[in-house]
Amino acid sequence: MNVFIDKTHRSLDAAKRSLLSKGLIFYALMFFAAAFLLEIFVFNFKAIQTASYEEQRLTFDYAQQNGQFEVGDFTVILADDGKSIEIININREINNLYINIANKNPKPAKQVTGVSIFITDKANALYAELPARDIHRGIERSQYLSVYTLGDSQELKIRVNAAEGEQFQLNALSLNKPIPVFFSAGRFLFIFFLLSFIKIFAPGSKLYRIRCDAEKMGQRCITALLCIAICFVFAAMIQENTISRNPAWVHHQQYAKLTNALLKGQVYLDDIPPEALETMDNPYDTALRKKVMEETGSSYIWDTAYFNGKYYVYFGLTPVVLLYIPVKLITGLDLNNAWAVLFFCCVIVFAAFGVVRRIIRKWFPDTPFSVYILLSLTLVFGSGTLRLLSAPHLYEVPNSAAIALALTGLYCWLSAIKSGPAESGGPDGPENHQVSIPLLTAGAVCIALLAGCRPHLLLCALFAIPLFWDVFIKQKFLFSRKGVFAAVGFCLPFILIGAGIMYYNYIRFGSVADFGATYNLTTNDMTSRGFVWERIPVGIWMYFFQPANLTAKFPYVTGTGFYTQHLIRTIYESNWGGVFNNILLLSNFLVFRFRGGLKQKKLFGFTLLCILISFIASIFLTQYSGVLGRYILDFAFLLFLSAFVILLLIQGRLRDEYKRYVYLFILIGFFVCALYSLLYCMNFWRTDWLEGEPGLYYQIENAVNFWK
């Protein structure tokens, strides 16, 4: 009988696997067909729309012609400067233009030629200017320009937006040329994987019905492979980022210079400041400094700390100790900032997945595996990894290091205490708590090292209070023999690392609390900046509530302006809107609404601290640094963590039929966060990733703007 039952089970399992396999194949084929049909009939609808067009091709030797001449039924006029061409006596409707033009400059960046179109029609007897367009000589789709006119046109002018001295060659020019089918493999694969992703993570999917369980090898493997895949994508971004890997800016080499200085036993840089700086009464006066440098023909290193006739690096020491010095000692080479940012971003990936897993395992063990993946990916994007990797300069090194250390420290602390049914297999009580002193100490080391990256993030040390209060104080673990060792392991890193950084500050600037930022040779006199109360509401608005600046031009999001009637000096760089543009973070406003449930889970203090530290950090940054887009990354990850806790609590308290609405909100929030991050990377004004190799940008632009 047992043999029969065993065979029956094996048969059922085999049948189930067969059906699953068939289901996967069915959906794969369905999504493949859907992506193919979309590619042909939607993304290439211009080919269908223009198939009946009759092309009027203007054939002439552009290089040999001058002035005015006849080409078929048209009259062509070439401007003397060689940068514009005018066509008159058209007498027909113009639906599109085909312009094959190339800049003769061989540099890759000059593969792009900007053109402006001027046209007359029934409503415009004089030239009406149309939006400018960029033409990439290696991307044929960019050479077709759809034109929307009212009735017949008489005149057309094409002006090349070229710099002085640049030359270009017009290879072909046609009116109303049928647009061929442009099958984009990248767009096809994107749609295929997007449909697959939606199917896999849709509410009610099989993945949604699987409970997150860190002990299951299958889930561990999926998580590890996903993290590794993300890191490979990050590495590809750095590999393609030729500008950031070979920066032309002297001040971006400060960490390498500091490494060499420290290995020689000195804390100041070898560079010698100009004598003109020493003779100035206030070398930190930006406008006066610029005037003096011009008058004396001198130069200085931008964004360095200048104090008592020497250059210092005011950026944190931690990245140098962790990466730059070891790389220099092992290889003899100076570490490139881009590779340092890549390293820390990869740490962020693994730490983000780890922190979310620990939160779910300790407090929300019934969470679906799909929710865990979505929240972890959202934290990776929300921590600003793509922003950091799109322009991995000197500034991004301490930013990425701080986020990596903060998340790693939180992961260690969340892992240090195992308690309750979810982790110890028994009832929650003091006898079931197991404290890992190595993890406790490792977390303290990571948090203490924040003082050498972004000092204000030392506030993260306060997380020890809500995380360890019950075990160490209420349950009196601190007063046990093991508790004393745990307390020493917790405190010692802060004492030793803090003493080291204070000594480093003292031998440079004569004060243990002076990190040197006030002596920075930058856009303003930091020594006289002061604390102005009126800056606070401006900073909070910009950092948290400023709406994103949406446009109708790819990549559809651009920098925000800085508008205020306060006559106060506030340093500002164009931002991308406040953090609450990520809709998941709006959950933070429910912290007091669900404080009862959070207190029951003993998570109210942790959640509230995430929010409070974020606001305190924003005030500190506004007062002593300014309102800069990259500073949002100092606290955005904390707001995501608090939002996750609130959402997980809400989902756990709802009935099954309502849980999917919270899950749908999480899914939409993930897409918004990911899209927001990706579009940021598509902006030339904020990324070196595409500026050095713009071909990828224009391929993406033409794939997205399939209707133009």
Side-chain angles (χ1 to χ4, degrees):
M1 186 66 180
N2 291 333
V3 174
F4 172 77
I5 294 174
D6 186 55
K7 287 184 177 180
T8 302
H9 278 299
R10 286 202 299 268
S11 299
L12 289 173
D13 289 340
K16 185 177 180 181
R17 287 194 298 269
S18 177
L19 289 172
L20 180 61
S21 177
K22 289 179 180 179
L24 291 175
I25 294 173
F26 169 76
Y27 283 113
L29 291 175
M30 186 174 67
F31 294 151
F32 186 92
F36 182 81
L37 292 174
L38 286 171
E39 183 63 32
I40 298 300
F41 294 104
V42 177
F43 301 132
N44 276 285
F45 83 96
K46 279 290 183 180
I48 301 172
Q49 184 186 63
T50 63
S52 61
Y53 286 4
E54 294 183 5
E55 179 184 3
Q56 288 91 42
R57 185 174 183 181
L58 283 73
T59 304
F60 60 94
D61 191 340
Y62 176 82
Q64 300 298 323
Q65 302 286 352
N66 289 298
Q68 179 174 316
F69 53 91
E70 304 299 321
V71 179
D73 297 334
F74 308 110
T75 299
V76 178
I77 304 173
L78 295 178
D80 294 336
D81 61 2
K83 293 183 180 179
S84 67
I85 179 172
E86 191 172 2
I87 306 169
I88 61 177
N89 301 326
I90 298 175
N91 300 322
R92 69 199 69 190
E93 186 174 356
I94 300 176
N95 296 298
N96 73 6
L97 300 173
Y98 173 72
I99 306 174
N100 187 322
I101 194 170
N103 195 303
K104 291 184 177 180
N105 191 314
K107 293 182 179 180
K110 297 303 180 181
Q111 292 182 2
V112 179
T113 304
V115 296
S116 293
I117 307 298
F118 302 82
I119 200 165
T120 65
D121 56 16
K122 181 180 179 180
N124 299 279
L126 302 178
Y127 276 131
E129 184 176 2
L130 303 179
R133 286 278 294 277
D134 291 333
I135 297 174
H136 194 287
R137 65 184 178 189
I139 302 174
E140 187 180 358
R141 182 63 182 87
S142 70
Q143 299 164 12
Y144 289 87
L145 287 68
S146 296
V147 179
Y148 302 93
T149 59
L150 300 172
D152 292 346
S153 296
Q154 300 296 322
E155 301 175 0
L156 166 71
K157 182 167 71 173
I158 303 170
R159 185 183 68 200
V160 179
N161 302 321
E164 189 66 31
E166 289 186 343
Q167 296 181 337
F168 60 92
Q169 176 65 46
L170 182 63
N171 299 318
L173 176 62
S174 294
L175 308 180
N176 300 333
K177 182 177 181 179
I179 300 175
V181 172
F182 290 98
F183 189 93
S184 171
R187 183 170 55 199
F188 169 79
L189 291 174
F190 176 80
I191 296 299
F192 174 78
F193 285 115
L194 178 62
L195 294 174
S196 302
F197 185 91
I198 293 174
K199 171 60 181 175
I200 293 171
F201 286 91
S205 66
K206 292 180 179 178
L207 192 65
Y208 178 73
R209 294 196 294 269
I210 298 174
R211 187 175 70 88
C212 183
D213 187 350
E215 299 302 321
K216 290 186 177 180
M217 184 57 65
Q219 293 188 19
R220 287 188 174 187
C221 290
I222 291 173
T223 303
L225 289 174
L226 185 56
C227 291
I228 293 171
I230 294 172
C231 292
F232 270 110
V233 173
F234 287 175
M237 289 180 63
I238 294 296
Q239 186 61 36
E240 291 297 320
N241 197 335
T242 56
I243 291 180
S244 292
R245 286 193 293 107
N246 302 284
W249 315 287
V250 176
H251 67 282
H252 282 249
Q253 305 301 321
Q254 290 186 56
Y255 268 144
K257 292 180 178 181
L258 178 59
T259 300
N260 294 322
L262 291 173
L263 291 175
K264 291 168 58 177
Q266 64 190 45
V267 294
Y268 56 86
L269 303 185
D270 288 330
D271 300 89
I272 301 176
E275 186 177 347
L277 276 180
E278 298 185 34
T279 60
M280 291 182 63
D281 292 333
N282 182 14
Y284 310 107
D285 184 332
T286 306
L288 181 60
R289 183 174 67 242
K290 180 180 179 181
K291 179 181 178 182
V292 171
M293 293 297 109
E294 291 175 350
E295 291 175 348
T296 60
S298 305
S299 62
Y300 64 95
I301 302 179
W302 178 261
D303 242 350
T304 54
Y306 173 75
F307 185 75
N308 286 345
K310 295 185 183 298
Y311 284 132
Y312 296 89
V313 176
Y314 73 89
F315 296 98
L317 184 64
T318 295
V320 175
V321 175
L322 293 181
L323 282 184
Y324 287 80
I325 288 178
V327 169
K328 183 70 174 183
L329 292 175
I330 295 171
T331 68
L333 302 174
D334 293 326
L335 179 63
N336 190 290
N337 293 329
W339 297 115
V341 174
L342 172 63
F343 173 81
F344 288 122
C345 283
C346 290
V347 174
I348 290 172
V349 172
F350 285 94
F353 274 82
V355 167
V356 175
R357 180 167 62 86
R358 294 306 306 179
I359 290 174
I360 288 174
R361 188 180 183 188
K362 288 177 73 70
W363 293 291
F364 308 98
D366 293 327
T367 300
F369 184 60
S370 59
V371 172
Y372 163 61
I373 295 295
L374 286 174
L375 293 182
S376 299
L377 289 174
T378 303
L379 184 57
V380 170
F381 285 113
S383 297
T385 49
L386 292 184
R387 158 67 181 87
L388 294 164
L389 291 163
S390 63
H393 300 157
L394 169 69
Y395 307 103
E396 282 66 32
V397 175
N399 273 118
S400 58
I403 300 169
L405 287 169
L407 286 174
T408 303
L410 284 175
Y411 171 75
C412 291
W413 280 355
L414 288 167
S415 305
I417 299 179
K418 299 180 180 180
S419 62
E423 296 187 281
S424 64
D428 192 11
E431 69 278 2
N432 287 315
H433 288 101
Q434 297 179 357
V435 178
S436 171
I437 296 177
L439 284 173
L440 185 70
T441 304
V445 169
C446 292
I447 300 299
L449 285 172
L450 289 173
C453 299
R454 308 290 289 167
H456 49 280
L457 283 184
L458 270 176
L459 289 169
C460 288
L462 295 175
F463 284 118
I465 298 175
L467 292 178
F468 302 130
W469 182 265
D470 273 4
V471 176
F472 278 74
I473 305 300
K474 284 189 176 181
Q475 298 172 16
K476 300 181 180 180
F477 176 78
L478 180 62
F479 305 103
S480 65
R481 182 177 179 182
K482 189 176 180 181
V484 172
F485 284 107
V488 172
F490 176 86
C491 296
L492 198 58
F494 287 99
I495 295 172
L496 295 179
I497 294 173
I501 290 177
M502 287 190 290
Y503 175 72
Y504 177 65
N505 290 338
Y506 180 78
I507 60 177
R508 293 187 302 164
F509 308 115
S511 171
V512 297
D514 194 341
F515 288 83
T518 54
Y519 309 116
N520 184 19
L521 300 177
T522 186
T523 58
N524 62 107
D525 183 357
M526 301 284 285
T527 62
S528 305
R529 185 169 175 82
F531 188 98
V532 181
W533 287 101
E534 286 78 4
R535 287 197 190 110
I536 295 177
V538 175
I540 289 177
W541 168 256
M542 293 295 179
Y543 278 129
F544 292 94
F545 302 102
Q546 172 72 47
N549 189 9
L550 304 179
T551 70
K553 181 182 178 182
F554 184 82
Y556 312 120
V557 182
T558 188
T560 59
F562 182 75
Y563 306 103
T564 177
Q565 292 181 314
H566 286 292
L567 299 180
I568 54 176
R569 175 72 167 162
T570 300
I571 307 305
Y572 176 79
E573 287 183 3
S574 189
N575 201 353
W576 264 56
V579 291
F580 288 128
N581 283 287
N582 292 290
I583 60 173
L584 279 183
L585 298 187
L586 296 176
S587 307
N588 285 293
F589 291 102
L590 301 175
V591 62
F592 290 105
R593 169 65 179 81
F594 291 97
R595 63 181 179 275
L598 292 170
K599 287 181 178 179
Q600 187 178 5
K601 291 277 188 179
K602 299 178 182 178
L603 279 170
F604 181 69
F606 176 84
T607 307
L608 194 61
L609 261 181
C610 286
I611 299 171
L612 289 177
I613 291 174
S614 299
F615 275 91
I616 293 171
S618 71
I619 293 171
F620 174 86
L621 291 166
T622 301
Q623 290 292 345
Y624 299 107
S625 296
V627 182
L628 281 71
R630 68 176 182 272
Y631 291 164
I632 289 179
L633 306 184
D634 283 354
F635 53 82
F637 71 98
L638 294 175
L639 291 175
F640 275 103
L641 289 178
S642 55
F644 293 171
V645 169
I646 294 171
L647 288 170
L648 289 170
L649 177 71
I650 295 173
Q651 188 181 52
R653 298 178 66 178
L654 293 175
R655 295 199 301 266
D656 290 341
E657 59 266 30
Y658 297 115
K659 285 183 178 181
R660 62 179 58 205
Y661 294 110
V662 177
Y663 178 72
L664 188 61
F665 179 68
I666 292 172
L667 183 61
I668 294 172
F670 160 73
F671 278 115
V672 170
C673 184
L675 184 62
Y676 194 71
S677 300
L678 289 170
L679 292 180
Y680 183 96
C681 290
M682 293 294 108
N683 276 264
F684 273 118
W685 67 279
R686 267 300 180 206
T687 176
D688 296 333
W689 177 47
L690 296 170
E691 187 175 349
E693 300 291 342
L696 178 60
Y697 171 87
Y698 286 100
Q699 286 177 356
I700 296 173
E701 182 199 30
N702 283 276
V704 174
N705 290 341
F706 57 90
W707 57 83
K708 70 177 186 178

